[in-house]
Amino acid sequence: MDCFKLFEQTKKKLFFIAGPCVLENLDLALKVGEELAEIRNKLGVTIVFKSSFDKANRTSLESFRGPGLDLGLKWLEKIKKITELPVLTDYHLPEQASVVAEVADILQVPAFLCRQTDLLIAGAKTNRIVNIKKGQFIAPWDMKAVVGKVESFGNKKIWLTERGFSFGYNNLVVDMRSVPLMAELGYPVVFDATHSVQIPGGRGTSSGGNREFVPCLAKAAVAAGASGVFMEVHPDPDKALCDGPNSWPLNQTYSLMKKLLEIWEVVYEK
């Protein structure tokens, strides 16, 4: 897919990033991708398929991490071909960037790694869209320096994602002021509606979450000016191998996206 064309599209109308947290198996990922493709066709919006080939930041050593780089990219390539959805996945090491860029349209920098200079530079050099998740530990205005690292290598196809910030122990809160504040940097702001309701480490060996608040926060973010909404979706969140407590049910995804689009149209359509 033409990344410049995709980037321009997402500046004009509300878009979505969705998919299972991690690639559990190809069949499940394809099921989700095909359902998202149907929703795209019904709503006439851009939907990006997201899933991780490796979850390097897990609470426990025993937690499921995914199929790994090589197999994961093969699965993502197949999903992309069958569904015709653009694909986003995260990378954790600078040397992974160019390999991931051979398949992914968007490279995602994980929140905990958002200030890692070498990682940002490697993503910028691929000339793909770079989605930078704002760390749970920094202020919205601190993303100016982060953006500058990518821009300095000639890449101005940048998304910035708000995913809540740490508030005490095992808790995240969302300051909706973050959306317009980051938008002042000149790039689309995405709201991560599912990670924002996560309870990091809340289950001892894994994270908990309050998925019932996903619609509320997503609606507020769109009204606050978010250009995109990120949601980890799963056919059966309670059985998901990663981030189940904060994942949104696949069978409720169409109705939520439709409502969010209606809010966007009321607020921003001329």
PDB file of all heavy atoms in Angstrom, residues 21-59:
ATOM      1  N   CYS A  21      -4.388  -8.597  20.383  1.00  0.00           N
ATOM      2  CA  CYS A  21      -3.156  -8.086  20.971  1.00  0.00           C
ATOM      3  C   CYS A  21      -1.934  -8.770  20.380  1.00  0.00           C
ATOM      4  O   CYS A  21      -0.981  -8.121  19.966  1.00  0.00           O
ATOM      5  CB  CYS A  21      -3.198  -8.294  22.488  1.00  0.00           C
ATOM      6  SG  CYS A  21      -1.663  -7.903  23.327  1.00  0.00           S
ATOM      7  N   VAL A  22      -1.983 -10.090  20.332  1.00  0.00           N
ATOM      8  CA  VAL A  22      -0.853 -10.875  19.839  1.00  0.00           C
ATOM      9  C   VAL A  22      -1.362 -11.897  18.823  1.00  0.00           C
ATOM     10  O   VAL A  22      -2.531 -12.296  18.861  1.00  0.00           O
ATOM     11  CB  VAL A  22      -0.131 -11.578  21.010  1.00  0.00           C
ATOM     12  CG1 VAL A  22      -1.027 -12.622  21.663  1.00  0.00           C
ATOM     13  CG2 VAL A  22       1.187 -12.198  20.584  1.00  0.00           C
ATOM     14  N   LEU A  23      -0.506 -12.295  17.914  1.00  0.00           N
ATOM     15  CA  LEU A  23      -0.853 -13.336  16.948  1.00  0.00           C
ATOM     16  C   LEU A  23      -0.867 -14.684  17.670  1.00  0.00           C
ATOM     17  O   LEU A  23       0.172 -15.297  17.882  1.00  0.00           O
ATOM     18  CB  LEU A  23       0.161 -13.350  15.796  1.00  0.00           C
ATOM     19  CG  LEU A  23       0.113 -12.147  14.854  1.00  0.00           C
ATOM     20  CD1 LEU A  23       1.367 -12.096  13.993  1.00  0.00           C
ATOM     21  CD2 LEU A  23      -1.139 -12.195  13.965  1.00  0.00           C
ATOM     22  N   GLU A  24      -2.050 -15.127  18.052  1.00  0.00           N
ATOM     23  CA  GLU A  24      -2.174 -16.403  18.773  1.00  0.00           C
ATOM     24  C   GLU A  24      -2.032 -17.578  17.816  1.00  0.00           C
ATOM     25  O   GLU A  24      -1.346 -18.557  18.100  1.00  0.00           O
ATOM     26  CB  GLU A  24      -3.523 -16.462  19.492  1.00  0.00           C
ATOM     27  CG  GLU A  24      -3.694 -15.374  20.535  1.00  0.00           C
ATOM     28  CD  GLU A  24      -5.025 -15.477  21.258  1.00  0.00           C
ATOM     29  OE1 GLU A  24      -5.682 -16.541  21.169  1.00  0.00           O
ATOM     30  OE2 GLU A  24      -5.417 -14.496  21.917  1.00  0.00           O
ATOM     31  N   ASN A  25      -2.736 -17.480  16.684  1.00  0.00           N
ATOM     32  CA  ASN A  25      -2.616 -18.452  15.600  1.00  0.00           C
ATOM     33  C   ASN A  25      -3.167 -17.808  14.344  1.00  0.00           C
ATOM     34  O   ASN A  25      -3.893 -16.802  14.414  1.00  0.00           O
ATOM     35  CB  ASN A  25      -3.330 -19.777  15.920  1.00  0.00           C
ATOM     36  CG  ASN A  25      -4.808 -19.592  16.191  1.00  0.00           C
ATOM     37  OD1 ASN A  25      -5.578 -19.274  15.277  1.00  0.00           O
ATOM     38  ND2 ASN A  25      -5.232 -19.783  17.438  1.00  0.00           N
ATOM     39  N   LEU A  26      -2.854 -18.359  13.195  1.00  0.00           N
ATOM     40  CA  LEU A  26      -3.241 -17.745  11.937  1.00  0.00           C
ATOM     41  C   LEU A  26      -4.750 -17.738  11.743  1.00  0.00           C
ATOM     42  O   LEU A  26      -5.323 -16.744  11.270  1.00  0.00           O
ATOM     43  CB  LEU A  26      -2.557 -18.457  10.764  1.00  0.00           C
ATOM     44  CG  LEU A  26      -2.884 -17.922   9.364  1.00  0.00           C
ATOM     45  CD1 LEU A  26      -2.552 -16.440   9.255  1.00  0.00           C
ATOM     46  CD2 LEU A  26      -2.126 -18.714   8.299  1.00  0.00           C
ATOM     47  N   ASP A  27      -5.427 -18.817  12.095  1.00  0.00           N
ATOM     48  CA  ASP A  27      -6.870 -18.901  11.876  1.00  0.00           C
ATOM     49  C   ASP A  27      -7.621 -17.814  12.642  1.00  0.00           C
ATOM     50  O   ASP A  27      -8.518 -17.162  12.104  1.00  0.00           O
ATOM     51  CB  ASP A  27      -7.393 -20.285  12.289  1.00  0.00           C
ATOM     52  CG  ASP A  27      -6.971 -21.377  11.316  1.00  0.00           C
ATOM     53  OD1 ASP A  27      -6.570 -21.047  10.184  1.00  0.00           O
ATOM     54  OD2 ASP A  27      -7.035 -22.561  11.691  1.00  0.00           O
ATOM     55  N   LEU A  28      -7.266 -17.624  13.900  1.00  0.00           N
ATOM     56  CA  LEU A  28      -7.935 -16.605  14.702  1.00  0.00           C
ATOM     57  C   LEU A  28      -7.660 -15.209  14.142  1.00  0.00           C
ATOM     58  O   LEU A  28      -8.580 -14.386  14.027  1.00  0.00           O
ATOM     59  CB  LEU A  28      -7.481 -16.698  16.156  1.00  0.00           C
ATOM     60  CG  LEU A  28      -8.189 -15.756  17.136  1.00  0.00           C
ATOM     61  CD1 LEU A  28      -8.364 -16.430  18.497  1.00  0.00           C
ATOM     62  CD2 LEU A  28      -7.425 -14.438  17.315  1.00  0.00           C
ATOM     63  N   ALA A  29      -6.410 -14.954  13.802  1.00  0.00           N
ATOM     64  CA  ALA A  29      -6.051 -13.638  13.267  1.00  0.00           C
ATOM     65  C   ALA A  29      -6.778 -13.353  11.954  1.00  0.00           C
ATOM     66  O   ALA A  29      -7.256 -12.240  11.721  1.00  0.00           O
ATOM     67  CB  ALA A  29      -4.540 -13.559  13.065  1.00  0.00           C
ATOM     68  N   LEU A  30      -6.895 -14.383  11.097  1.00  0.00           N
ATOM     69  CA  LEU A  30      -7.619 -14.212   9.841  1.00  0.00           C
ATOM     70  C   LEU A  30      -9.099 -13.953  10.084  1.00  0.00           C
ATOM     71  O   LEU A  30      -9.714 -13.133   9.395  1.00  0.00           O
ATOM     72  CB  LEU A  30      -7.448 -15.454   8.963  1.00  0.00           C
ATOM     73  CG  LEU A  30      -6.320 -15.417   7.931  1.00  0.00           C
ATOM     74  CD1 LEU A  30      -6.207 -16.761   7.222  1.00  0.00           C
ATOM     75  CD2 LEU A  30      -6.553 -14.299   6.917  1.00  0.00           C
ATOM     76  N   LYS A  31      -9.671 -14.642  11.034  1.00  0.00           N
ATOM     77  CA  LYS A  31     -11.085 -14.445  11.381  1.00  0.00           C
ATOM     78  C   LYS A  31     -11.324 -12.989  11.773  1.00  0.00           C
ATOM     79  O   LYS A  31     -12.281 -12.354  11.311  1.00  0.00           O
ATOM     80  CB  LYS A  31     -11.483 -15.372  12.529  1.00  0.00           C
ATOM     81  CG  LYS A  31     -12.891 -15.133  13.082  1.00  0.00           C
ATOM     82  CD  LYS A  31     -13.184 -16.067  14.255  1.00  0.00           C
ATOM     83  CE  LYS A  31     -14.502 -15.708  14.942  1.00  0.00           C
ATOM     84  NZ  LYS A  31     -15.669 -15.885  14.057  1.00  0.00           N
ATOM     85  N   VAL A  32     -10.449 -12.471  12.619  1.00  0.00           N
ATOM     86  CA  VAL A  32     -10.574 -11.081  13.044  1.00  0.00           C
ATOM     87  C   VAL A  32     -10.378 -10.140  11.855  1.00  0.00           C
ATOM     88  O   VAL A  32     -11.151  -9.202  11.652  1.00  0.00           O
ATOM     89  CB  VAL A  32      -9.561 -10.759  14.162  1.00  0.00           C
ATOM     90  CG1 VAL A  32      -9.605  -9.279  14.510  1.00  0.00           C
ATOM     91  CG2 VAL A  32      -9.844 -11.602  15.396  1.00  0.00           C
ATOM     92  N   GLY A  33      -9.350 -10.407  11.050  1.00  0.00           N
ATOM     93  CA  GLY A  33      -9.068  -9.551   9.902  1.00  0.00           C
ATOM     94  C   GLY A  33     -10.212  -9.520   8.908  1.00  0.00           C
ATOM     95  O   GLY A  33     -10.571  -8.456   8.374  1.00  0.00           O
ATOM     96  N   GLU A  34     -10.803 -10.663   8.632  1.00  0.00           N
ATOM     97  CA  GLU A  34     -11.915 -10.724   7.688  1.00  0.00           C
ATOM     98  C   GLU A  34     -13.143  -9.995   8.213  1.00  0.00           C
ATOM     99  O   GLU A  34     -13.858  -9.322   7.454  1.00  0.00           O
ATOM    100  CB  GLU A  34     -12.232 -12.185   7.362  1.00  0.00           C
ATOM    101  CG  GLU A  34     -11.145 -12.843   6.511  1.00  0.00           C
ATOM    102  CD  GLU A  34     -11.322 -14.342   6.363  1.00  0.00           C
ATOM    103  OE1 GLU A  34     -12.081 -14.945   7.153  1.00  0.00           O
ATOM    104  OE2 GLU A  34     -10.697 -14.917   5.456  1.00  0.00           O
ATOM    105  N   GLU A  35     -13.384 -10.094   9.510  1.00  0.00           N
ATOM    106  CA  GLU A  35     -14.505  -9.361  10.111  1.00  0.00           C
ATOM    107  C   GLU A  35     -14.260  -7.859  10.048  1.00  0.00           C
ATOM    108  O   GLU A  35     -15.167  -7.072   9.739  1.00  0.00           O
ATOM    109  CB  GLU A  35     -14.702  -9.803  11.558  1.00  0.00           C
ATOM    110  CG  GLU A  35     -15.806  -9.072  12.300  1.00  0.00           C
ATOM    111  CD  GLU A  35     -17.204  -9.362  11.771  1.00  0.00           C
ATOM    112  OE1 GLU A  35     -17.396 -10.435  11.153  1.00  0.00           O
ATOM    113  OE2 GLU A  35     -18.102  -8.525  11.989  1.00  0.00           O
ATOM    114  N   LEU A  36     -13.022  -7.436  10.312  1.00  0.00           N
ATOM    115  CA  LEU A  36     -12.686  -6.016  10.227  1.00  0.00           C
ATOM    116  C   LEU A  36     -12.808  -5.496   8.800  1.00  0.00           C
ATOM    117  O   LEU A  36     -13.233  -4.355   8.583  1.00  0.00           O
ATOM    118  CB  LEU A  36     -11.268  -5.786  10.752  1.00  0.00           C
ATOM    119  CG  LEU A  36     -11.064  -6.008  12.252  1.00  0.00           C
ATOM    120  CD1 LEU A  36      -9.591  -5.884  12.609  1.00  0.00           C
ATOM    121  CD2 LEU A  36     -11.894  -5.030  13.079  1.00  0.00           C
ATOM    122  N   ALA A  37     -12.471  -6.330   7.821  1.00  0.00           N
ATOM    123  CA  ALA A  37     -12.614  -5.934   6.413  1.00  0.00           C
ATOM    124  C   ALA A  37     -14.085  -5.719   6.071  1.00  0.00           C
ATOM    125  O   ALA A  37     -14.435  -4.788   5.322  1.00  0.00           O
ATOM    126  CB  ALA A  37     -11.991  -6.986   5.505  1.00  0.00           C
ATOM    127  N   GLU A  38     -14.954  -6.544   6.620  1.00  0.00           N
ATOM    128  CA  GLU A  38     -16.391  -6.370   6.391  1.00  0.00           C
ATOM    129  C   GLU A  38     -16.888  -5.069   7.017  1.00  0.00           C
ATOM    130  O   GLU A  38     -17.699  -4.350   6.426  1.00  0.00           O
ATOM    131  CB  GLU A  38     -17.165  -7.555   6.964  1.00  0.00           C
ATOM    132  CG  GLU A  38     -16.983  -8.858   6.189  1.00  0.00           C
ATOM    133  CD  GLU A  38     -17.855  -9.977   6.731  1.00  0.00           C
ATOM    134  OE1 GLU A  38     -18.791  -9.681   7.495  1.00  0.00           O
ATOM    135  OE2 GLU A  38     -17.597 -11.143   6.391  1.00  0.00           O
ATOM    136  N   ILE A  39     -16.402  -4.772   8.218  1.00  0.00           N
ATOM    137  CA  ILE A  39     -16.789  -3.530   8.881  1.00  0.00           C
ATOM    138  C   ILE A  39     -16.299  -2.326   8.073  1.00  0.00           C
ATOM    139  O   ILE A  39     -17.019  -1.334   7.906  1.00  0.00           O
ATOM    140  CB  ILE A  39     -16.226  -3.489  10.312  1.00  0.00           C
ATOM    141  CG1 ILE A  39     -16.850  -4.593  11.168  1.00  0.00           C
ATOM    142  CG2 ILE A  39     -16.459  -2.120  10.952  1.00  0.00           C
ATOM    143  CD1 ILE A  39     -16.233  -4.735  12.544  1.00  0.00           C
ATOM    144  N   ARG A  40     -15.082  -2.416   7.573  1.00  0.00           N
ATOM    145  CA  ARG A  40     -14.539  -1.347   6.710  1.00  0.00           C
ATOM    146  C   ARG A  40     -15.463  -1.080   5.537  1.00  0.00           C
ATOM    147  O   ARG A  40     -15.779   0.071   5.204  1.00  0.00           O
ATOM    148  CB  ARG A  40     -13.160  -1.753   6.204  1.00  0.00           C
ATOM    149  CG  ARG A  40     -12.586  -0.838   5.117  1.00  0.00           C
ATOM    150  CD  ARG A  40     -11.504  -1.542   4.319  1.00  0.00           C
ATOM    151  NE  ARG A  40     -12.023  -2.758   3.676  1.00  0.00           N
ATOM    152  CZ  ARG A  40     -11.243  -3.705   3.144  1.00  0.00           C
ATOM    153  NH1 ARG A  40      -9.933  -3.584   3.196  1.00  0.00           N
ATOM    154  NH2 ARG A  40     -11.782  -4.755   2.561  1.00  0.00           N
ATOM    155  N   ASN A  41     -15.912  -2.145   4.890  1.00  0.00           N
ATOM    156  CA  ASN A  41     -16.771  -1.996   3.723  1.00  0.00           C
ATOM    157  C   ASN A  41     -18.130  -1.406   4.092  1.00  0.00           C
ATOM    158  O   ASN A  41     -18.694  -0.604   3.346  1.00  0.00           O
ATOM    159  CB  ASN A  41     -16.955  -3.352   3.038  1.00  0.00           C
ATOM    160  CG  ASN A  41     -15.661  -3.897   2.469  1.00  0.00           C
ATOM    161  OD1 ASN A  41     -14.719  -3.145   2.225  1.00  0.00           O
ATOM    162  ND2 ASN A  41     -15.586  -5.204   2.269  1.00  0.00           N
ATOM    163  N   LYS A  42     -18.667  -1.790   5.245  1.00  0.00           N
ATOM    164  CA  LYS A  42     -19.973  -1.292   5.676  1.00  0.00           C
ATOM    165  C   LYS A  42     -19.917   0.186   6.054  1.00  0.00           C
ATOM    166  O   LYS A  42     -20.822   0.958   5.731  1.00  0.00           O
ATOM    167  CB  LYS A  42     -20.483  -2.105   6.871  1.00  0.00           C
ATOM    168  CG  LYS A  42     -20.900  -3.525   6.547  1.00  0.00           C
ATOM    169  CD  LYS A  42     -21.343  -4.250   7.815  1.00  0.00           C
ATOM    170  CE  LYS A  42     -21.723  -5.693   7.542  1.00  0.00           C
ATOM    171  NZ  LYS A  42     -22.080  -6.421   8.800  1.00  0.00           N
ATOM    172  N   LEU A  43     -18.860   0.579   6.743  1.00  0.00           N
ATOM    173  CA  LEU A  43     -18.762   1.942   7.257  1.00  0.00           C
ATOM    174  C   LEU A  43     -18.022   2.890   6.318  1.00  0.00           C
ATOM    175  O   LEU A  43     -18.110   4.107   6.483  1.00  0.00           O
ATOM    176  CB  LEU A  43     -18.068   1.942   8.624  1.00  0.00           C
ATOM    177  CG  LEU A  43     -18.809   1.225   9.762  1.00  0.00           C
ATOM    178  CD1 LEU A  43     -17.980   1.298  11.048  1.00  0.00           C
ATOM    179  CD2 LEU A  43     -20.179   1.846   9.998  1.00  0.00           C
ATOM    180  N   GLY A  44     -17.284   2.343   5.363  1.00  0.00           N
ATOM    181  CA  GLY A  44     -16.531   3.188   4.438  1.00  0.00           C
ATOM    182  C   GLY A  44     -15.410   3.961   5.117  1.00  0.00           C
ATOM    183  O   GLY A  44     -15.166   5.130   4.805  1.00  0.00           O
ATOM    184  N   VAL A  45     -14.736   3.293   6.059  1.00  0.00           N
ATOM    185  CA  VAL A  45     -13.649   3.941   6.791  1.00  0.00           C
ATOM    186  C   VAL A  45     -12.360   3.141   6.634  1.00  0.00           C
ATOM    187  O   VAL A  45     -12.372   1.986   6.209  1.00  0.00           O
ATOM    188  CB  VAL A  45     -13.972   4.067   8.295  1.00  0.00           C
ATOM    189  CG1 VAL A  45     -15.136   4.992   8.517  1.00  0.00           C
ATOM    190  CG2 VAL A  45     -14.241   2.688   8.909  1.00  0.00           C
ATOM    191  N   THR A  46     -11.253   3.774   6.981  1.00  0.00           N
ATOM    192  CA  THR A  46      -9.967   3.079   6.991  1.00  0.00           C
ATOM    193  C   THR A  46      -9.817   2.303   8.292  1.00  0.00           C
ATOM    194  O   THR A  46      -9.974   2.864   9.377  1.00  0.00           O
ATOM    195  CB  THR A  46      -8.807   4.082   6.860  1.00  0.00           C
ATOM    196  OG1 THR A  46      -8.902   4.755   5.588  1.00  0.00           O
ATOM    197  CG2 THR A  46      -7.461   3.369   6.946  1.00  0.00           C
ATOM    198  N   ILE A  47      -9.558   1.009   8.162  1.00  0.00           N
ATOM    199  CA  ILE A  47      -9.260   0.181   9.324  1.00  0.00           C
ATOM    200  C   ILE A  47      -7.905  -0.477   9.100  1.00  0.00           C
ATOM    201  O   ILE A  47      -7.666  -1.090   8.056  1.00  0.00           O
ATOM    202  CB  ILE A  47     -10.331  -0.897   9.561  1.00  0.00           C
ATOM    203  CG1 ILE A  47     -11.687  -0.241   9.871  1.00  0.00           C
ATOM    204  CG2 ILE A  47      -9.916  -1.822  10.706  1.00  0.00           C
ATOM    205  CD1 ILE A  47     -12.807  -1.236  10.132  1.00  0.00           C
ATOM    206  N   VAL A  48      -7.039  -0.340  10.059  1.00  0.00           N
ATOM    207  CA  VAL A  48      -5.704  -0.935  10.025  1.00  0.00           C
ATOM    208  C   VAL A  48      -5.714  -2.172  10.917  1.00  0.00           C
ATOM    209  O   VAL A  48      -6.151  -2.111  12.070  1.00  0.00           O
ATOM    210  CB  VAL A  48      -4.638   0.066  10.519  1.00  0.00           C
ATOM    211  CG1 VAL A  48      -3.265  -0.604  10.598  1.00  0.00           C
ATOM    212  CG2 VAL A  48      -4.599   1.294   9.613  1.00  0.00           C
ATOM    213  N   PHE A  49      -5.233  -3.297  10.380  1.00  0.00           N
ATOM    214  CA  PHE A  49      -5.142  -4.513  11.189  1.00  0.00           C
ATOM    215  C   PHE A  49      -3.883  -4.452  12.040  1.00  0.00           C
ATOM    216  O   PHE A  49      -2.784  -4.238  11.534  1.00  0.00           O
ATOM    217  CB  PHE A  49      -5.102  -5.759  10.312  1.00  0.00           C
ATOM    218  CG  PHE A  49      -4.979  -7.048  11.090  1.00  0.00           C
ATOM    219  CD1 PHE A  49      -6.108  -7.681  11.572  1.00  0.00           C
ATOM    220  CD2 PHE A  49      -3.734  -7.601  11.358  1.00  0.00           C
ATOM    221  CE1 PHE A  49      -6.006  -8.859  12.314  1.00  0.00           C
ATOM    222  CE2 PHE A  49      -3.612  -8.772  12.103  1.00  0.00           C
ATOM    223  CZ  PHE A  49      -4.754  -9.403  12.574  1.00  0.00           C
ATOM    224  N   LYS A  50      -4.059  -4.681  13.337  1.00  0.00           N
ATOM    225  CA  LYS A  50      -2.922  -4.656  14.259  1.00  0.00           C
ATOM    226  C   LYS A  50      -2.812  -5.963  15.020  1.00  0.00           C
ATOM    227  O   LYS A  50      -3.793  -6.464  15.580  1.00  0.00           O
ATOM    228  CB  LYS A  50      -3.068  -3.502  15.259  1.00  0.00           C
ATOM    229  CG  LYS A  50      -1.929  -3.417  16.288  1.00  0.00           C
ATOM    230  CD  LYS A  50      -2.185  -4.231  17.535  1.00  0.00           C
ATOM    231  CE  LYS A  50      -0.918  -4.292  18.405  1.00  0.00           C
ATOM    232  NZ  LYS A  50      -1.073  -5.207  19.569  1.00  0.00           N
ATOM    233  N   SER A  51      -1.621  -6.505  15.086  1.00  0.00           N
ATOM    234  CA  SER A  51      -1.325  -7.601  15.991  1.00  0.00           C
ATOM    235  C   SER A  51       0.183  -7.712  16.121  1.00  0.00           C
ATOM    236  O   SER A  51       0.925  -7.319  15.211  1.00  0.00           O
ATOM    237  CB  SER A  51      -1.923  -8.925  15.488  1.00  0.00           C
ATOM    238  OG  SER A  51      -2.004  -9.870  16.532  1.00  0.00           O
ATOM    239  N   SER A  52       0.626  -8.248  17.232  1.00  0.00           N
ATOM    240  CA  SER A  52       2.056  -8.324  17.518  1.00  0.00           C
ATOM    241  C   SER A  52       2.612  -9.715  17.250  1.00  0.00           C
ATOM    242  O   SER A  52       1.970 -10.714  17.591  1.00  0.00           O
ATOM    243  CB  SER A  52       2.326  -7.959  18.984  1.00  0.00           C
ATOM    244  OG  SER A  52       1.896  -6.648  19.262  1.00  0.00           O
ATOM    245  N   PHE A  53       3.804  -9.775  16.668  1.00  0.00           N
ATOM    246  CA  PHE A  53       4.474 -11.059  16.477  1.00  0.00           C
ATOM    247  C   PHE A  53       5.224 -11.476  17.737  1.00  0.00           C
ATOM    248  O   PHE A  53       5.552 -12.631  17.936  1.00  0.00           O
ATOM    249  CB  PHE A  53       5.441 -11.015  15.283  1.00  0.00           C
ATOM    250  CG  PHE A  53       6.491  -9.937  15.357  1.00  0.00           C
ATOM    251  CD1 PHE A  53       7.640 -10.110  16.112  1.00  0.00           C
ATOM    252  CD2 PHE A  53       6.333  -8.744  14.650  1.00  0.00           C
ATOM    253  CE1 PHE A  53       8.620  -9.120  16.180  1.00  0.00           C
ATOM    254  CE2 PHE A  53       7.299  -7.749  14.710  1.00  0.00           C
ATOM    255  CZ  PHE A  53       8.447  -7.935  15.472  1.00  0.00           C
ATOM    256  N   ASP A  54       5.481 -10.487  18.613  1.00  0.00           N
ATOM    257  CA  ASP A  54       6.174 -10.781  19.863  1.00  0.00           C
ATOM    258  C   ASP A  54       5.794  -9.725  20.884  1.00  0.00           C
ATOM    259  O   ASP A  54       5.879  -8.527  20.616  1.00  0.00           O
ATOM    260  CB  ASP A  54       7.689 -10.775  19.656  1.00  0.00           C
ATOM    261  CG  ASP A  54       8.473 -11.056  20.933  1.00  0.00           C
ATOM    262  OD1 ASP A  54       7.910 -11.711  21.833  1.00  0.00           O
ATOM    263  OD2 ASP A  54       9.638 -10.629  21.024  1.00  0.00           O
ATOM    264  N   LYS A  55       5.348 -10.172  22.045  1.00  0.00           N
ATOM    265  CA  LYS A  55       5.066  -9.252  23.142  1.00  0.00           C
ATOM    266  C   LYS A  55       6.244  -9.307  24.112  1.00  0.00           C
ATOM    267  O   LYS A  55       6.302 -10.150  25.013  1.00  0.00           O
ATOM    268  CB  LYS A  55       3.766  -9.634  23.849  1.00  0.00           C
ATOM    269  CG  LYS A  55       2.551  -9.635  22.953  1.00  0.00           C
ATOM    270  CD  LYS A  55       2.287  -8.299  22.295  1.00  0.00           C
ATOM    271  CE  LYS A  55       1.872  -7.238  23.265  1.00  0.00           C
ATOM    272  NZ  LYS A  55       1.510  -5.956  22.585  1.00  0.00           N
ATOM    273  N   ALA A  56       7.203  -8.445  23.884  1.00  0.00           N
ATOM    274  CA  ALA A  56       8.435  -8.481  24.673  1.00  0.00           C
ATOM    275  C   ALA A  56       8.225  -7.980  26.103  1.00  0.00           C
ATOM    276  O   ALA A  56       8.963  -8.348  27.007  1.00  0.00           O
ATOM    277  CB  ALA A  56       9.508  -7.642  23.984  1.00  0.00           C
ATOM    278  N   ASN A  57       7.204  -7.146  26.300  1.00  0.00           N
ATOM    279  CA  ASN A  57       6.958  -6.574  27.610  1.00  0.00           C
ATOM    280  C   ASN A  57       5.789  -7.298  28.289  1.00  0.00           C
ATOM    281  O   ASN A  57       4.658  -6.839  28.286  1.00  0.00           O
ATOM    282  CB  ASN A  57       6.640  -5.076  27.476  1.00  0.00           C
ATOM    283  CG  ASN A  57       6.247  -4.457  28.807  1.00  0.00           C
ATOM    284  OD1 ASN A  57       6.742  -4.856  29.846  1.00  0.00           O
ATOM    285  ND2 ASN A  57       5.334  -3.505  28.758  1.00  0.00           N
ATOM    286  N   ARG A  58       6.076  -8.474  28.842  1.00  0.00           N
ATOM    287  CA  ARG A  58       5.045  -9.245  29.552  1.00  0.00           C
ATOM    288  C   ARG A  58       5.300  -9.190  31.054  1.00  0.00           C
ATOM    289  O   ARG A  58       6.434  -9.056  31.502  1.00  0.00           O
ATOM    290  CB  ARG A  58       5.051 -10.707  29.098  1.00  0.00           C
ATOM    291  CG  ARG A  58       4.691 -10.927  27.632  1.00  0.00           C
ATOM    292  CD  ARG A  58       3.257 -10.542  27.298  1.00  0.00           C
ATOM    293  NE  ARG A  58       3.110  -9.110  27.045  1.00  0.00           N
ATOM    294  CZ  ARG A  58       1.955  -8.459  27.068  1.00  0.00           C
ATOM    295  NH1 ARG A  58       0.852  -9.093  27.376  1.00  0.00           N
ATOM    296  NH2 ARG A  58       1.904  -7.174  26.817  1.00  0.00           N
ATOM    297  N   THR A  59       4.235  -9.319  31.830  1.00  0.00           N
ATOM    298  CA  THR A  59       4.362  -9.277  33.282  1.00  0.00           C
ATOM    299  C   THR A  59       5.192 -10.445  33.800  1.00  0.00           C
ATOM    300  O   THR A  59       6.066 -10.282  34.653  1.00  0.00           O
ATOM    301  CB  THR A  59       2.967  -9.301  33.933  1.00  0.00           C
ATOM    302  OG1 THR A  59       2.191  -8.205  33.421  1.00  0.00           O
ATOM    303  CG2 THR A  59       3.077  -9.180  35.448  1.00  0.00           C
TER     304      THR A  59
END
